[in-house]
mmCIF file of all heavy atoms in Angstrom:
data_model
loop_
_atom_site.group_PDB
_atom_site.id
_atom_site.type_symbol
_atom_site.label_atom_id
_atom_site.label_comp_id
_atom_site.label_asym_id
_atom_site.label_seq_id
_atom_site.Cartn_x
_atom_site.Cartn_y
_atom_site.Cartn_z
ATOM 1 N N ASP A 16 148.872 213.576 -58.986
ATOM 2 C CA ASP A 16 148.157 214.518 -59.830
ATOM 3 C C ASP A 16 147.230 215.426 -59.039
ATOM 4 O O ASP A 16 147.072 216.617 -59.301
ATOM 5 C CB ASP A 16 147.324 213.784 -60.876
ATOM 6 C CG ASP A 16 148.201 213.031 -61.923
ATOM 7 O OD1 ASP A 16 149.327 213.492 -62.136
ATOM 8 O OD2 ASP A 16 147.723 212.019 -62.449
ATOM 9 N N PHE A 17 146.578 214.811 -58.029
ATOM 10 C CA PHE A 17 145.632 215.595 -57.191
ATOM 11 C C PHE A 17 146.404 216.651 -56.415
ATOM 12 O O PHE A 17 145.975 217.806 -56.341
ATOM 13 C CB PHE A 17 144.874 214.673 -56.271
ATOM 14 C CG PHE A 17 143.902 215.421 -55.350
ATOM 15 C CD1 PHE A 17 142.731 215.893 -55.849
ATOM 16 C CD2 PHE A 17 144.245 215.634 -54.006
ATOM 17 C CE1 PHE A 17 141.833 216.616 -55.019
ATOM 18 C CE2 PHE A 17 143.390 216.347 -53.205
ATOM 19 C CZ PHE A 17 142.189 216.825 -53.706
ATOM 20 N N ARG A 18 147.500 216.273 -55.805
ATOM 21 C CA ARG A 18 148.298 217.234 -55.042
ATOM 22 C C ARG A 18 148.784 218.361 -55.950
ATOM 23 O O ARG A 18 148.832 219.543 -55.535
ATOM 24 C CB ARG A 18 149.451 216.522 -54.316
ATOM 25 C CG ARG A 18 148.987 215.679 -53.165
ATOM 26 C CD ARG A 18 150.180 215.172 -52.358
ATOM 27 N NE ARG A 18 150.972 214.180 -53.030
ATOM 28 C CZ ARG A 18 150.757 212.843 -52.950
ATOM 29 N NH1 ARG A 18 149.749 212.387 -52.191
ATOM 30 N NH2 ARG A 18 151.490 212.007 -53.604
ATOM 31 N N HIS A 19 149.179 218.026 -57.142
ATOM 32 C CA HIS A 19 149.616 219.051 -58.106
ATOM 33 C C HIS A 19 148.469 220.010 -58.427
ATOM 34 O O HIS A 19 148.659 221.228 -58.495
ATOM 35 C CB HIS A 19 150.118 218.349 -59.376
ATOM 36 C CG HIS A 19 150.810 219.314 -60.331
ATOM 37 N ND1 HIS A 19 150.156 220.012 -61.307
ATOM 38 C CD2 HIS A 19 152.132 219.664 -60.436
ATOM 39 C CE1 HIS A 19 150.997 220.748 -61.989
ATOM 40 N NE2 HIS A 19 152.224 220.537 -61.502
ATOM 41 N N LEU A 20 147.288 219.461 -58.589
ATOM 42 C CA LEU A 20 146.114 220.274 -58.871
ATOM 43 C C LEU A 20 145.825 221.243 -57.711
ATOM 44 O O LEU A 20 145.527 222.436 -57.903
ATOM 45 C CB LEU A 20 144.886 219.413 -59.148
ATOM 46 C CG LEU A 20 143.523 220.137 -59.202
ATOM 47 C CD1 LEU A 20 143.506 221.194 -60.301
ATOM 48 C CD2 LEU A 20 142.402 219.074 -59.455
ATOM 49 N N VAL A 21 145.901 220.740 -56.485
ATOM 50 C CA VAL A 21 145.683 221.586 -55.309
ATOM 51 C C VAL A 21 146.644 222.735 -55.295
ATOM 52 O O VAL A 21 146.316 223.900 -55.051
ATOM 53 C CB VAL A 21 145.803 220.743 -53.986
ATOM 54 C CG1 VAL A 21 145.789 221.676 -52.800
ATOM 55 C CG2 VAL A 21 144.637 219.738 -53.905
ATOM 56 N N ALA A 22 147.953 222.435 -55.597
ATOM 57 C CA ALA A 22 148.977 223.466 -55.604
ATOM 58 C C ALA A 22 148.711 224.498 -56.728
ATOM 59 O O ALA A 22 148.825 225.727 -56.520
ATOM 60 C CB ALA A 22 150.322 222.846 -55.749
ATOM 61 N N GLU A 23 148.338 223.999 -57.891
ATOM 62 C CA GLU A 23 148.094 224.885 -59.016
ATOM 63 C C GLU A 23 146.880 225.783 -58.771
ATOM 64 O O GLU A 23 146.864 226.944 -59.105
ATOM 65 C CB GLU A 23 147.890 224.125 -60.292
ATOM 66 C CG GLU A 23 149.207 223.505 -60.887
ATOM 67 C CD GLU A 23 150.234 224.599 -61.172
ATOM 68 O OE1 GLU A 23 149.891 225.487 -61.992
ATOM 69 O OE2 GLU A 23 151.327 224.517 -60.645
ATOM 70 N N ALA A 24 145.864 225.188 -58.150
ATOM 71 C CA ALA A 24 144.665 226.009 -57.820
ATOM 72 C C ALA A 24 145.050 227.133 -56.894
ATOM 73 O O ALA A 24 144.566 228.265 -57.013
ATOM 74 C CB ALA A 24 143.609 225.100 -57.168
ATOM 75 N N GLY A 25 145.898 226.807 -55.897
ATOM 76 C CA GLY A 25 146.316 227.844 -54.983
ATOM 77 C C GLY A 25 147.018 229.020 -55.674
ATOM 78 O O GLY A 25 146.851 230.188 -55.309
ATOM 79 N N LYS A 26 147.761 228.710 -56.716
ATOM 80 C CA LYS A 26 148.434 229.752 -57.483
ATOM 81 C C LYS A 26 147.431 230.647 -58.238
ATOM 82 O O LYS A 26 147.735 231.792 -58.558
ATOM 83 C CB LYS A 26 149.415 229.136 -58.499
ATOM 84 C CG LYS A 26 150.567 228.385 -57.872
ATOM 85 C CD LYS A 26 151.414 227.749 -58.946
ATOM 86 C CE LYS A 26 152.533 226.935 -58.375
ATOM 87 N NZ LYS A 26 153.324 226.202 -59.387
ATOM 88 N N HIS A 27 146.225 230.109 -58.434
ATOM 89 C CA HIS A 27 145.166 230.897 -59.111
ATOM 90 C C HIS A 27 144.167 231.463 -58.091
ATOM 91 O O HIS A 27 143.067 231.869 -58.487
ATOM 92 C CB HIS A 27 144.448 230.020 -60.104
ATOM 93 C CG HIS A 27 145.243 229.704 -61.343
ATOM 94 N ND1 HIS A 27 146.203 228.712 -61.385
ATOM 95 C CD2 HIS A 27 145.247 230.305 -62.578
ATOM 96 C CE1 HIS A 27 146.767 228.699 -62.583
ATOM 97 N NE2 HIS A 27 146.207 229.629 -63.324
ATOM 98 N N GLY A 28 144.554 231.476 -56.824
ATOM 99 C CA GLY A 28 143.659 232.069 -55.813
ATOM 100 C C GLY A 28 142.482 231.193 -55.475
ATOM 101 O O GLY A 28 141.458 231.730 -54.992
ATOM 102 N N LEU A 29 142.570 229.871 -55.716
ATOM 103 C CA LEU A 29 141.428 228.987 -55.536
ATOM 104 C C LEU A 29 141.785 227.904 -54.497
ATOM 105 O O LEU A 29 142.894 227.365 -54.507
ATOM 106 C CB LEU A 29 141.090 228.273 -56.847
ATOM 107 C CG LEU A 29 140.436 229.126 -57.942
ATOM 108 C CD1 LEU A 29 140.594 228.456 -59.310
ATOM 109 C CD2 LEU A 29 138.960 229.350 -57.635
ATOM 110 N N GLU A 30 140.864 227.662 -53.631
ATOM 111 C CA GLU A 30 140.956 226.538 -52.696
ATOM 112 C C GLU A 30 140.094 225.424 -53.213
ATOM 113 O O GLU A 30 138.978 225.619 -53.668
ATOM 114 C CB GLU A 30 140.479 226.914 -51.296
ATOM 115 C CG GLU A 30 141.420 227.765 -50.491
ATOM 116 C CD GLU A 30 140.999 227.904 -49.052
ATOM 117 O OE1 GLU A 30 141.003 226.912 -48.316
ATOM 118 O OE2 GLU A 30 140.596 229.053 -48.701
ATOM 119 N N ILE A 31 140.585 224.179 -53.128
ATOM 120 C CA ILE A 31 139.807 223.008 -53.546
ATOM 121 C C ILE A 31 138.937 222.559 -52.376
ATOM 122 O O ILE A 31 139.413 222.359 -51.263
ATOM 123 C CB ILE A 31 140.725 221.856 -53.939
ATOM 124 C CG1 ILE A 31 141.579 222.258 -55.177
ATOM 125 C CG2 ILE A 31 139.914 220.614 -54.253
ATOM 126 C CD1 ILE A 31 140.797 222.585 -56.439
ATOM 127 N N ALA A 32 137.634 222.482 -52.610
ATOM 128 C CA ALA A 32 136.699 221.916 -51.641
ATOM 129 C C ALA A 32 136.281 220.518 -52.123
ATOM 130 O O ALA A 32 135.964 220.358 -53.287
ATOM 131 C CB ALA A 32 135.469 222.817 -51.500
ATOM 132 N N LEU A 33 136.382 219.580 -51.218
ATOM 133 C CA LEU A 33 136.120 218.190 -51.582
ATOM 134 C C LEU A 33 134.829 217.726 -50.948
ATOM 135 O O LEU A 33 134.534 218.066 -49.775
ATOM 136 C CB LEU A 33 137.273 217.334 -51.092
ATOM 137 C CG LEU A 33 137.411 215.921 -51.716
ATOM 138 C CD1 LEU A 33 137.600 216.028 -53.223
ATOM 139 C CD2 LEU A 33 138.564 215.146 -51.094
ATOM 140 N N ASP A 34 134.074 216.914 -51.665
ATOM 141 C CA ASP A 34 132.829 216.360 -51.180
ATOM 142 C C ASP A 34 133.111 215.230 -50.208
ATOM 143 O O ASP A 34 133.870 214.351 -50.489
ATOM 144 C CB ASP A 34 131.992 215.874 -52.343
ATOM 145 C CG ASP A 34 130.505 215.602 -51.930
ATOM 146 O OD1 ASP A 34 130.299 214.656 -51.212
ATOM 147 O OD2 ASP A 34 129.654 216.395 -52.346
ATOM 148 N N ILE A 35 132.477 215.281 -49.059
ATOM 149 C CA ILE A 35 132.493 214.182 -48.114
ATOM 150 C C ILE A 35 131.134 213.545 -48.104
ATOM 151 O O ILE A 35 130.134 214.184 -47.646
ATOM 152 C CB ILE A 35 132.860 214.637 -46.713
ATOM 153 C CG1 ILE A 35 134.341 215.072 -46.648
ATOM 154 C CG2 ILE A 35 132.631 213.529 -45.663
ATOM 155 C CD1 ILE A 35 135.329 213.922 -46.862
ATOM 156 N N ALA A 36 131.000 212.300 -48.635
ATOM 157 C CA ALA A 36 129.738 211.594 -48.655
ATOM 158 C C ALA A 36 129.933 210.303 -47.912
ATOM 159 O O ALA A 36 130.540 209.355 -48.493
ATOM 160 C CB ALA A 36 129.314 211.367 -50.121
ATOM 161 N N PHE A 37 129.464 210.221 -46.724
ATOM 162 C CA PHE A 37 129.659 209.011 -45.920
ATOM 163 C C PHE A 37 128.589 208.011 -46.241
ATOM 164 O O PHE A 37 127.548 207.902 -45.549
ATOM 165 C CB PHE A 37 129.722 209.378 -44.445
ATOM 166 C CG PHE A 37 131.019 209.978 -44.039
ATOM 167 C CD1 PHE A 37 131.091 210.949 -43.039
ATOM 168 C CD2 PHE A 37 132.229 209.573 -44.637
ATOM 169 C CE1 PHE A 37 132.329 211.475 -42.645
ATOM 170 C CE2 PHE A 37 133.447 210.088 -44.251
ATOM 171 C CZ PHE A 37 133.510 211.089 -43.264
ATOM 172 N N GLN A 38 128.829 207.229 -47.288
ATOM 173 C CA GLN A 38 127.981 206.189 -47.778
ATOM 174 C C GLN A 38 128.779 205.309 -48.726
ATOM 175 O O GLN A 38 129.913 205.730 -49.109
ATOM 176 C CB GLN A 38 126.754 206.747 -48.494
ATOM 177 C CG GLN A 38 127.142 207.626 -49.714
ATOM 178 C CD GLN A 38 126.105 208.630 -50.091
ATOM 179 O OE1 GLN A 38 125.309 209.089 -49.273
ATOM 180 N NE2 GLN A 38 126.041 208.953 -51.386
ATOM 181 N N CYS A 39 128.324 204.147 -49.030
ATOM 182 C CA CYS A 39 129.142 203.201 -49.778
ATOM 183 C C CYS A 39 128.368 202.603 -50.952
ATOM 184 O O CYS A 39 127.164 202.344 -50.812
ATOM 185 C CB CYS A 39 129.609 202.060 -48.889
ATOM 186 S SG CYS A 39 130.633 202.587 -47.539
ATOM 187 N N ALA A 40 129.083 202.278 -52.014
ATOM 188 C CA ALA A 40 128.537 201.423 -53.033
ATOM 189 C C ALA A 40 128.554 199.993 -52.522
ATOM 190 O O ALA A 40 129.302 199.632 -51.580
ATOM 191 C CB ALA A 40 129.409 201.521 -54.299
ATOM 192 N N PRO A 41 127.789 199.067 -53.087
ATOM 193 C CA PRO A 41 127.753 197.681 -52.584
ATOM 194 C C PRO A 41 129.113 196.999 -52.644
ATOM 195 O O PRO A 41 129.366 196.108 -51.827
ATOM 196 C CB PRO A 41 126.767 197.025 -53.552
ATOM 197 C CG PRO A 41 125.850 198.117 -54.040
ATOM 198 C CD PRO A 41 126.750 199.342 -54.123
ATOM 199 N N ASP A 42 130.008 197.406 -53.527
ATOM 200 C CA ASP A 42 131.304 196.755 -53.586
ATOM 201 C C ASP A 42 132.434 197.575 -52.942
ATOM 202 O O ASP A 42 133.602 197.337 -53.205
ATOM 203 C CB ASP A 42 131.660 196.420 -55.055
ATOM 204 C CG ASP A 42 131.322 197.512 -56.037
ATOM 205 O OD1 ASP A 42 130.423 198.308 -55.777
ATOM 206 O OD2 ASP A 42 131.901 197.546 -57.130
ATOM 207 N N HIS A 43 132.041 198.505 -52.044
ATOM 208 C CA HIS A 43 133.053 199.242 -51.283
ATOM 209 C C HIS A 43 133.780 198.265 -50.328
ATOM 210 O O HIS A 43 133.132 197.354 -49.774
ATOM 211 C CB HIS A 43 132.373 200.317 -50.448
ATOM 212 C CG HIS A 43 133.273 201.333 -49.831
ATOM 213 N ND1 HIS A 43 134.219 201.014 -48.861
ATOM 214 C CD2 HIS A 43 133.379 202.677 -50.007
ATOM 215 C CE1 HIS A 43 134.855 202.102 -48.510
ATOM 216 N NE2 HIS A 43 134.383 203.157 -49.219
ATOM 217 N N PRO A 44 135.077 198.383 -50.164
ATOM 218 C CA PRO A 44 135.803 197.478 -49.251
ATOM 219 C C PRO A 44 135.237 197.403 -47.858
ATOM 220 O O PRO A 44 135.311 196.380 -47.181
ATOM 221 C CB PRO A 44 137.210 198.060 -49.261
ATOM 222 C CG PRO A 44 137.370 198.759 -50.550
ATOM 223 C CD PRO A 44 135.991 199.297 -50.878
ATOM 224 N N TYR A 45 134.629 198.532 -47.362
ATOM 225 C CA TYR A 45 134.057 198.495 -46.026
ATOM 226 C C TYR A 45 132.964 197.446 -45.854
ATOM 227 O O TYR A 45 132.787 196.884 -44.782
ATOM 228 C CB TYR A 45 133.402 199.868 -45.706
ATOM 229 C CG TYR A 45 134.359 200.986 -45.386
ATOM 230 C CD1 TYR A 45 133.903 202.331 -45.578
ATOM 231 C CD2 TYR A 45 135.631 200.793 -44.929
ATOM 232 C CE1 TYR A 45 134.773 203.390 -45.291
ATOM 233 C CE2 TYR A 45 136.506 201.887 -44.677
ATOM 234 C CZ TYR A 45 136.037 203.142 -44.853
ATOM 235 O OH TYR A 45 136.884 204.182 -44.568
ATOM 236 N N VAL A 46 132.237 197.162 -46.924
ATOM 237 C CA VAL A 46 131.130 196.198 -46.809
ATOM 238 C C VAL A 46 131.635 194.794 -46.435
ATOM 239 O O VAL A 46 131.029 194.117 -45.613
ATOM 240 C CB VAL A 46 130.308 196.149 -48.123
ATOM 241 C CG1 VAL A 46 129.144 195.190 -47.992
ATOM 242 C CG2 VAL A 46 129.771 197.565 -48.451
ATOM 243 N N LYS A 47 132.779 194.442 -46.992
ATOM 244 C CA LYS A 47 133.333 193.126 -46.638
ATOM 245 C C LYS A 47 134.138 193.171 -45.354
ATOM 246 O O LYS A 47 134.093 192.264 -44.535
ATOM 247 C CB LYS A 47 134.243 192.650 -47.774
ATOM 248 C CG LYS A 47 133.519 192.232 -49.044
ATOM 249 C CD LYS A 47 134.503 191.712 -50.086
ATOM 250 C CE LYS A 47 133.803 191.279 -51.350
ATOM 251 N NZ LYS A 47 134.757 190.777 -52.387
#
């Protein structure tokens, strides 16, 4: 679904910008 959205956005002249937040919730797999 995400890849489809990226493609559809491109057809509308839009690029998808994604948030990069390098931090974790307490139950993130990285914590274990």
Side-chain angles (χ1 to χ4, degrees):
D16 292 333
F17 179 76
R18 289 191 287 270
H19 190 271
L20 170 58
V21 171
E23 287 300 304
K26 294 177 184 177
H27 288 81
L29 289 160
E30 285 188 67
I31 299 297
L33 198 61
D34 194 289
I35 291 293
F37 283 147
Q38 58 203 31
C39 298
D42 41 336
H43 193 296
Y45 285 157
V46 180
K47 290 183 179 179

